[in-house]
Amino acid sequence: MTVEGLSPMTKVEVVVRTADADAVARQIVSAGGTGYTSLPGVTGLGHHGAHAGRALFNDQDSLTLTITVVPDDRAPALIAGLREFLERRPGVMFVSAVSVSRPHYFQ
């Protein structure tokens, strides 16, 4: 769907152990991403069972969701790097097409 005045981009969302979140952020920046949002302490149910946020006094044992939006031409390098990372570490990645109202924020 194309909406007048919006620019197409690619959104990448990655859920990893909090201990691995910095590596994901570095991958985003090295692939040309201009920013990201990290949400620590996410909870859910998945392939490895239930995850209930962070344990008291143990931030590294929780999960973090990192979200970024990149121009479509930067997405393949980012996705390839994250796929390689996720072959060695637990986590999941979601990729979707999005439209943004301020494309210069992502250039």
Side-chain angles (χ1 to χ4, degrees):
M1 171 177 82
T2 302
V3 178
E4 187 175 333
L6 297 180
S7 299
M9 301 259 175
T10 301
K11 178 170 66 169
V12 179
E13 301 169 90
V14 184
V15 179
V16 294
R17 293 185 300 194
T18 297
D20 294 329
D22 285 343
V24 170
R26 286 191 302 273
Q27 184 69 43
I28 291 168
V29 172
S30 72
T34 59
Y36 56 87
T37 299
S38 288
L39 304 168
V42 296
T43 65
L45 176 67
H47 182 76
H48 289 100
H51 293 276
R54 74 178 186 89
L56 192 60
F57 306 118
N58 187 359
D59 287 341
Q60 297 303 305
D61 195 32
S62 65
L63 298 177
T64 294
L65 167 63
T66 302
I67 306 163
T68 191
V69 173
V70 295
D72 291 341
D73 63 334
R74 294 185 195 158
L78 174 58
I79 293 165
L82 289 170
R83 286 183 77 179
E84 182 179 322
F85 176 78
L86 291 170
E87 287 177 7
R88 301 183 313 271
R89 310 296 291 174
V92 294
M93 174 174 54
F94 308 98
V95 179
S96 55
V98 296
S99 298
V100 300
S101 62
R102 299 178 185 173
H104 57 280
Y105 278 24
F106 306 93
Q107 300 298 329

